[in-house]
């Protein structure tokens, strides 16, 4: 059954490479790379979509340029805080972001995260690659339920892009 | 044949993990973690040992603290320049440094480098782990002859530590 609507739900694909300690996330958005990139780098926008719906988010620092740092906190209903931090190795407007990522509860765990923004004739494909130093760490990230937060966050990003179109 | 000299040559071990896209380098030094850490983080010292003997080194920036950036250039006799840059994710005095690393000739190639400093009763074991996102990239790093520069650099660091003892 064909449809003329562009209002289909874009699927979030999350894959663990069997041969590499990586997680790859692929998601398409109904907006240009410029707009998706801005939603990834402007803290006033990031705070509106990153993470699952049930958590509040506080951004302490989000300096999305080469050499900048970031720190943000997700806050549960009971006040529990989950803090994340890292540095931006590369920020290439509308193309590519490379950053480090640490969940402060495990300060020795560091992942290297690359986001690539691909122009699909006005739509955008985002490919995220998270690289860690062991398969145990990678499988632990997947087992943590991060996929729920990723999928919900991207639905919130869909909504943000729609209402700011 | 036994000897009472502590002037033995410490061996540099460089290993490629068969199951992970990493290079591990292990080297011991006849100095405390505090002194070895300082030689790793003070640009006035770094410039005296990092890299092979035949190259001059120029440091453009070396801000070895969490969130700091670095850039340095190795210069050949014919004036050719080889530039490297990255950001410091974590700098834990005398214990641990985590930084990103890019050879600017291949700006999309990024490795995540961890240096751990271990106290061996006044001597120090340094363990470096370089993590990249493919086995091809890892094997390419090894094939580049980086091991020569690493070994020679550490001999120069031995000399620096001896003359500043």
């Amino acid at each position: 059954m064909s449809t003329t609507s562009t209002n289909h739900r874009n699927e979030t694909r999350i894959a663990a490479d069997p041969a590499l300690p990586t997680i790859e996330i692929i998601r398409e958005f109904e907006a240009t790379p410029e707009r998706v990139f801005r939603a990834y780098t402007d803290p006033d926008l990031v705070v509106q979509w990153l993470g699952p719906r049930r958590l509040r988010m506080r951004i302490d620092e989000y300096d999305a340029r080469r050499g900048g740092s970031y720190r943000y906190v997700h806050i549960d209903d009971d006040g529990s805080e989950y803090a994340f931090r890292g540095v931006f190795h590369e920020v290439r407007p509308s193309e590519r972001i490379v950053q480090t990522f640490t969940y402060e509860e495990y300060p020795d765990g560091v992942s290297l995260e690359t986001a690539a923004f691909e122009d699909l004739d006005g739509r955008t494909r985002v490919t995220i690659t998270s690289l860690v130093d062991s398969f145990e760490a990678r499988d632990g990230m997947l087992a943590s339920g991060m996929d729920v937060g990723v999928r919900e966050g991207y639905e919130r990003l869909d909504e943000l892009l729609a209402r700011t179109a």
Side-chain angles (χ1 to χ4, degrees), chain A:
Chain A
M1 195 171 70
S2 76
T3 167
T4 53
S5 171
T6 58
N7 224 354
H8 62 283
R9 181 176 293 250
N10 285 311
E11 191 197 350
T12 300
R13 283 170 284 169
I14 302 178
D17 194 305
L20 289 169
T22 58
I23 298 171
E24 189 178 71
I25 301 171
I26 299 179
R27 180 61 148 80
E28 294 178 8
F29 296 94
E30 307 300 320
T32 61
E34 288 69 24
R35 294 186 63 226
V36 179
F37 177 83
R38 197 176 149 228
Y40 259 89
T41 50
D42 179 341
D44 293 338
L45 300 180
V46 172
V47 75
Q48 295 183 52
W49 71 266
L50 189 66
R53 294 184 195 275
R54 66 181 183 83
L55 299 177
R56 281 189 304 125
M57 181 177 187
R58 183 186 79 229
I59 294 183
D60 293 335
E61 183 179 17
Y62 211 88
D63 185 12
R65 56 185 178 83
R66 184 191 280 192
S69 295
Y70 71 92
R71 181 176 195 267
Y72 60 81
V73 182
H74 279 128
I75 306 164
D76 224 329
D77 279 343
D78 68 2
S80 303
E81 300 204 344
Y82 310 92
F84 304 87
R85 57 164 286 270
V87 287
F88 290 98
H89 174 81
E90 178 79 282
V91 179
R92 224 178 278 163
S94 306
E95 275 186 27
R96 185 175 154 91
I97 300 171
V98 182
Q99 69 198 88
T100 58
F101 175 91
T102 285
Y103 173 38
E104 291 186 0
E105 196 73 13
Y106 300 101
D108 285 359
V110 185
S111 60
L112 185 66
E113 315 258 323
T114 301
F117 301 83
E118 193 182 340
D119 191 349
L120 308 173
D121 280 325
R123 301 174 65 253
T124 301
R125 180 182 296 134
V126 178
T127 303
I128 309 283
T129 308
S130 293
L131 172 67
V132 290
D133 67 357
S134 75
F135 288 95
E136 293 74 12
R138 190 272 306 276
D139 295 343
M141 284 166 70
L142 285 171
S144 73
M146 56 85 80
D147 57 315
V148 176
V150 168
R151 283 176 215 280
E152 258 186 42
Y154 283 151
E155 287 171 23
R156 298 169 72 198
L157 178 49
D158 284 338
E159 295 159 15
L160 172 65
L161 292 166
R163 71 177 175 263
T164 56

